[in-house]
Amino acid sequence: MRYRMEGATVITLDGKRTIYAPGQLTWENGEIISVGPEDSDPTPVDQLILLTDAYLLPGLINGHNHAAMALLRGVADDSPLFEWLQDHIFPLEAKLTAEDIYIGTLLACAEMIHGGTVGFADMYFHVDQVAQAVEQAGLRAWIARGITGDAETGQQSLKESLEFAAKWREHRRITPMLGPHAPYTVSFDLLEQVASAAQTYDLSIHIHLAESPQEIADLAQRKTTPFALASAAGLLSSRILIAHGTHVSPSDVDYLAGIRGGIITCPVSNAKLGNGILPYAMLRDAGIMVGLGTDGPASTNSLDMFLEMKAMAWLQKLAGGRPETFRADEALTAATTGTASVLGHSGGQLAVGRPADFIVVGRRSAHLIPEHDPIANLVYAAQSKDVRYTVVDGQILMAEGIITAFDEQAVMVEAESRAKMLIS
Amino acid sequence: MRYRMEGATVITLDGKRTIYAPGQLTWENGEIISVGPEDSDPTPVDQLILLTDAYLLPGLINGHNHAAMALLRGVADDSPLFEWLQDHIFPLEAKLTAEDIYIGTLLACAEMIHGGTVGFADMYFHVDQVAQAVEQAGLRAWIARGITGDAETGQQSLKESLEFAAKWREHRRITPMLGPHAPYTVSFDLLEQVASAAQTYDLSIHIHLAESPQEIADLAQRKTTPFALASAAGLLSSRILIAHGTHVSPSDVDYLAGIRGGIITCPVSNAKLGNGILPYAMLRDAGIMVGLGTDGPASTNSLDMFLEMKAMAWLQKLAGGRPETFRADEALTAATTGTASVLGHSGGQLAVGRPADFIVVGRRSAHLIPEHDPIANLVYAAQSKDVRYTVVDGQILMAEGIITAFDEQAVMVEAESRAKMLIS
């Protein structure tokens, strides 16, 4: 089947930042086969979708998630962090069944599809169920089983990670990763084993690093930093997705120069948990890739990349002390090609041969009128509910706000019921 | 006509934070005549609206706006502040006609109604047109003509302010205020004249104070602070709405103790322009009222109070360094009873005898499932597009997303065309 959408303002985010207004995009077998001004491709198609008053742009890619935690959205919110984790989140997670995680992930996928997210990097457990939910929902995902413990207690989670990778690595939309949780939950020797396994099995790594001031202080007592430790363990020799990285220091930049991968900043989570603001300008100037993610919905309460773009821009301008220190375009880039680059994925821009992963955002709403600057409108004013179409691997997962890939209403009912059971 | 809505989770925000789940609200002649559990009021009504999967709560009140600047949304965004004002905003504002301001305000009203805002405090010019737009849209508004200049050059704007006040002061939904712009745009003797006129004509004051570090530095050279200056000019003797107040110092608190009115914080504007974070905890501990506003849509790009609640919570937690330093409920309070208290208005909570100004937010969306905490859901996860009904003074201005009070589509077309003309 060959498809075309025509009539929207097509924002390619390619190297030249080309915008076709109005433009067209044609795709087949999950791949973009032409993009350009309206009427620029005369080849016939099987389905033509005419759009007016809309932006067509690359789908957003959520670089850090614990999707199934959607079931725990809002639990004991605004509590002190340690109390929140020890008294609420950890006991509830211990009760989560594989089926809970399947439904929780599907609920999260529904939210992401509505919000124009086409793919996400996830770290959680019962990852077979995470992958099954992703397969059903139609999204793209980079999935890591969280690895914790020491060389002894952590073997089971490493073994499960490798079994998962062997089972799913050929899937068209799913990429397994290795997920050593964090320097404070994984022993150094287990980090070394993970680094070695990443090399042996050609897997990328997803890890939390430098999220909180506490983590930096704890590692300082061991005379190291999260980045020095990751480097010493060999983790930086493979492609690596560093979640947060909020407290990266100028001297840490040396460890990051030249790595494959980069940092996924989660500004809403970092602000809401009081953790801080990423020194983005320093990383940008050093040429280090920065993508964008939401973190899990238990801490951020939503999986809304439109909110994350706003939060990133607001916090960076606040940190810079001047409006010109961060541009709307940088937030949109982080949410698309930024995350894609960290993951080594060719998505995040619209060009021939790239994946047909894109979204359509309606602009016929008072809050998007007038249109002096489409990028400013998308980043500063658009809401995730403005998304009309979400297309992944060429499949239309949502059309005019209706998810076609699965029964979203049934998932919401089931998720609500399981969530209530969990806390009862 | 007597109306009732029944079946939603009714969040009253009254002194006891009563929630009826499910509940009912009955109103007549613009006033709430009963609120309580479902089936608690047996009196017959003319119209009964049955709701499911929804929150019914007080409407949000936007405490600081320059609504007609919606026409300039996104112009030269991310530019240095001085360049943005001098080279872009001021020249465009000089071209704005009375009709532009009427259409721009109507466009802003459409956006606010969609986003669950029931009233707003505005400062701009051509205020007769602002009031006409508000009258037509059905919102509540506190309107001030911006006053600038010295005792000579500012007379015209003061005169217009008093004429406007005389003309509109008996309007049911419109309250004129006096709007001395800021300490750096109004001379001290004109500030004294405004303070005197406020007393003579029993008008409240709306002023920008302590918005930027630059303003504090400039006044420090004159050996004063924005609050000391306002006090010396006599402005604090009348009810006063202080927009921003971001750089209020511990010693300024003495000036604010016991005033009628308070501070309207605009967190998105303050972050996006790099101005800073309000020391909210200090004001809360000192018992000073804090409400919430968006500032004008040229600087914030939207008039979205759901975004402002999120931004307030995120920034306060970031400043506090811990998640428990600010609660979701405090953001919702600021956006409702907080702004109402600053304005001396009895809205912002649902109780018998209070104005029938409320909204219905749909909760049947993946991003609001499950419901462990309704307030956390509303503040951290809900979007303005989740608003289904907006009711002001008992009139249903929007039903299931459709504005009934005026032709929104025509306003959008007209606004887009005028905006394009302005920059051509």
Side-chain angles (χ1 to χ4, degrees):
Chain A
M1 286 273 284
R2 179 176 292 193
Y3 304 81
R4 182 173 298 138
M5 283 191 181
E6 199 155 60
T9 296
V10 176
I11 297 170
T12 64
L13 301 185
D14 65 10
K16 296 175 182 163
R17 318 311 278 176
T18 314
I19 294 179
Y20 302 106
Q24 69 83 23
L25 184 91
T26 306
W27 72 98
E28 189 171 22
N29 297 325
E31 211 176 273
I32 296 170
I33 58 173
S34 81
V35 55
E38 205 172 34
D39 303 326
S40 61
D41 185 344
T43 60
V45 293
D46 300 294
Q47 188 177 0
L48 173 66
I49 298 172
L50 292 177
L51 300 167
T52 53
D53 289 320
Y55 301 113
L56 191 160
L57 65 153
L60 309 177
I61 310 175
N62 183 345
H64 181 55
N65 201 347
H66 313 285
M69 293 183 85
L71 290 188
L72 309 181
R73 188 199 309 277
V75 166
D77 233 323
D78 305 332
S79 303
L81 190 59
F82 188 78
E83 177 189 318
W84 180 67
L85 289 171
Q86 296 292 332
D87 298 349
H88 301 281
I89 297 301
F90 293 161
L92 288 171
E93 284 189 325
K95 290 166 71 179
L96 286 176
T97 64
E99 186 67 12
D100 287 336
I101 285 178
Y102 171 72
I103 294 293
T105 306
L106 258 185
L107 176 69
C109 288
E111 180 180 354
M112 288 189 275
I113 292 169
H114 278 291
T117 293
V118 295
F120 65 107
D122 205 67
M123 187 193 294
Y124 218 51
F125 55 105
H126 289 308
V127 275
D128 265 330
Q129 280 69 30
V130 173
Q132 282 160 21
V134 167
E135 183 167 52
Q136 189 179 351
L139 288 173
R140 210 177 282 281
W142 290 259
I143 302 173
R145 196 259 187 257
I147 296 169
T148 55
D150 59 29
E152 205 166 306
T153 60
Q155 283 311 312
Q156 180 62 23
S157 56
L158 176 55
K159 181 165 165 279
E160 284 178 29
S161 299
L162 295 174
E163 286 168 358
F164 173 75
K167 182 170 171 187
W168 290 90
R169 68 184 306 152
E170 298 303 325
H171 194 281
R172 187 174 166 88
R173 288 183 281 102
I174 292 171
T175 307
M177 296 176 81
L178 290 179
H181 178 266
Y184 52 90
T185 48
V186 189
S187 72
F188 186 78
D189 48 4
L190 185 56
L191 287 178
E192 286 183 316
Q193 288 185 19
V194 172
S196 167
Q199 293 279 323
T200 305
Y201 300 101
D202 191 23
L203 294 166
S204 303
I205 291 165
H206 183 165
I207 189 170
H208 298 86
L209 280 190
E211 179 176 1
S212 70
Q214 186 66 46
E215 178 186 341
I216 303 297
D218 290 350
L219 287 179
Q221 291 206 324
R222 291 163 58 188
K223 309 267 185 244
T224 188
T225 75
F227 297 91
L229 190 83
S231 175
L235 293 169
L236 302 184
S237 302
S238 294
R239 177 173 290 281
I240 187 164
L241 183 168
I242 296 163
H244 302 294
T246 314
H247 295 279
V248 56
S249 72
S251 58
D252 288 328
V253 167
D254 292 340
Y255 295 111
L256 298 177
I259 64 164
R260 287 178 298 145
I263 287 176
I264 299 294
T265 186
C266 305
V268 172
S269 168
N270 291 174
K272 183 154 175 276
L273 300 176
N275 277 325
I277 301 176
L278 181 80
Y280 168 80
M282 176 181 80
L283 298 167
R284 173 185 59 197
D285 296 348
I288 293 160
M289 284 296 164
V290 177
L292 190 61
T294 58
D295 207 349
S299 37
T300 54
N301 301 58
S302 78
L303 297 170
D304 186 331
M305 291 289 286
F306 283 89
L307 280 183
E308 297 291 343
M309 289 195 288
K310 290 175 179 62
M312 185 181 190
W314 298 339
L315 296 183
Q316 290 303 323
K317 286 163 179 278
L318 185 69
R322 285 173 294 124
E324 69 272 25
T325 48
F326 188 88
R327 293 174 298 103
D329 183 69
E330 295 181 272
L332 187 54
T333 297
T336 51
T337 45
T339 303
S341 297
V342 170
L343 289 163
H345 172 56
S346 60
Q349 53 182 294
L350 305 180
V352 173
R354 302 268 181 177
D357 291 9
F358 59 89
I359 61 176
V360 174
V361 177
R363 69 173 200 81
R364 197 82 210 139
S365 290
H367 65 285
L368 297 174
I369 303 276
E371 189 202 44
H372 290 301
D373 180 341
I375 305 294
N377 261 5
L378 281 167
V379 170
Y380 296 130
Q383 307 169 37
S384 70
K385 277 208 167 180
D386 292 319
V387 177
R388 291 168 50 188
Y389 287 83
T390 299
V391 179
V392 178
D393 194 29
Q395 301 299 309
I396 298 172
L397 305 186
M398 182 178 80
E400 298 299 359
I402 307 298
I403 291 181
T404 48
F406 58 94
D407 183 348
E408 181 190 5
Q409 296 299 324
V411 169
M412 289 197 286
V413 169
E414 179 77 15
E416 185 98 57
S417 142
R418 283 175 182 269
K420 297 269 187 251
M421 287 278 286
L422 272 174
I423 56 158
S424 69
Chain B
M1 287 273 284
R2 178 176 291 193
Y3 304 82
R4 182 173 298 138
M5 283 191 181
E6 199 154 60
T9 296
V10 176
I11 297 169
T12 63
L13 299 185
D14 65 9
K16 295 176 185 166
R17 318 310 278 174
T18 314
I19 294 179
Y20 302 106
Q24 69 83 22
L25 184 92
T26 306
W27 73 97
E28 188 170 23
N29 297 325
E31 212 176 271
I32 296 169
I33 58 172
S34 80
V35 55
E38 204 173 34
D39 303 325
S40 61
D41 185 344
T43 60
V45 293
D46 300 294
Q47 189 177 0
L48 173 67
I49 297 172
L50 292 176
L51 300 167
T52 53
D53 288 320
Y55 301 112
L56 191 159
L57 65 155
L60 309 176
I61 311 175
N62 183 345
H64 179 57
N65 202 347
H66 313 286
M69 292 183 87
L71 290 188
L72 309 182
R73 186 199 312 277
V75 166
D77 233 321
D78 305 332
S79 303
L81 190 59
F82 188 78
E83 176 188 319
W84 180 68
L85 289 170
Q86 296 293 331
D87 297 350
H88 300 282
I89 297 301
F90 293 161
L92 288 171
E93 283 188 328
K95 291 165 71 179
L96 286 176
T97 65
E99 186 66 12
D100 287 336
I101 284 176
Y102 171 73
I103 294 294
T105 306
L106 259 183
L107 176 68
C109 287
E111 180 181 353
M112 287 189 277
I113 292 169
H114 278 292
T117 293
V118 294
F120 66 106
D122 205 67
M123 186 194 294
Y124 217 52
F125 56 105
H126 289 308
V127 276
D128 265 331
Q129 280 68 30
V130 173
Q132 282 160 22
V134 167
E135 184 168 52
Q136 190 179 350
L139 288 172
R140 211 176 282 282
W142 290 259
I143 302 172
R145 195 261 187 260
I147 297 168
T148 54
D150 60 29
E152 205 167 306
T153 61
Q155 282 311 312
Q156 180 62 24
S157 55
L158 177 55
K159 181 164 165 280
E160 285 178 29
S161 299
L162 295 173
E163 286 168 358
F164 173 75
K167 182 170 170 187
W168 290 91
R169 68 183 307 151
E170 299 303 325
H171 194 283
R172 186 175 168 89
R173 289 183 280 102
I174 292 171
T175 307
M177 297 176 81
L178 291 179
H181 178 265
Y184 51 89
T185 48
V186 190
S187 71
F188 186 78
D189 48 4
L190 184 56
L191 287 177
E192 286 183 316
Q193 287 184 20
V194 172
S196 167
Q199 292 280 323
T200 305
Y201 299 100
D202 191 23
L203 294 165
S204 302
I205 291 165
H206 183 165
I207 189 171
H208 299 85
L209 280 190
E211 179 177 0
S212 70
Q214 187 66 45
E215 178 185 342
I216 303 298
D218 290 351
L219 287 179
Q221 292 205 324
R222 292 163 58 188
K223 308 266 184 247
T224 188
T225 74
F227 297 91
L229 189 84
S231 175
L235 293 169
L236 303 184
S237 302
S238 294
R239 177 174 292 280
I240 187 165
L241 183 169
I242 296 163
H244 303 292
T246 314
H247 295 278
V248 56
S249 72
S251 58
D252 287 330
V253 168
D254 292 340
Y255 294 110
L256 297 177
I259 63 165
R260 289 178 298 144
I263 287 176
I264 299 293
T265 186
C266 305
V268 172
S269 168
N270 291 175
K272 184 156 174 275
L273 300 177
N275 277 324
I277 301 176
L278 181 79
Y280 168 79
M282 176 181 80
L283 297 167
R284 173 185 60 198
D285 296 348
I288 293 159
M289 285 295 165
V290 177
L292 190 61
T294 57
D295 206 350
S299 37
T300 54
N301 302 58
S302 80
L303 298 169
D304 186 332
M305 291 290 284
F306 282 89
L307 280 183
E308 296 292 342
M309 289 195 288
K310 288 174 181 61
M312 185 181 190
W314 298 338
L315 296 183
Q316 290 303 323
K317 286 163 179 278
L318 185 68
R322 283 173 296 123
E324 69 271 26
T325 49
F326 189 88
R327 293 175 297 102
D329 183 70
E330 295 181 273
L332 187 55
T333 297
T336 52
T337 45
T339 304
S341 297
V342 171
L343 289 162
H345 172 54
S346 60
Q349 54 182 293
L350 305 180
V352 173
R354 303 268 180 176
D357 291 8
F358 59 88
I359 61 176
V360 174
V361 177
R363 68 174 202 83
R364 197 85 210 135
S365 290
H367 64 286
L368 297 174
I369 303 280
E371 191 201 42
H372 291 301
D373 180 341
I375 305 295
N377 260 6
L378 281 166
V379 170
Y380 296 129
Q383 307 168 38
S384 70
K385 277 208 166 179
D386 292 319
V387 177
R388 291 169 50 188
Y389 287 83
T390 299
V391 179
V392 178
D393 195 28
Q395 302 299 309
I396 298 172
L397 305 186
M398 181 178 80
E400 298 298 0
I402 306 298
I403 292 182
T404 49
F406 59 96
D407 183 348
E408 181 190 5
Q409 295 299 324
V411 169
M412 289 197 285
V413 169
E414 179 75 14
E416 186 97 57
S417 142
R418 284 175 181 270
K420 296 269 186 250
M421 287 278 288
L422 273 173
I423 55 159
S424 69

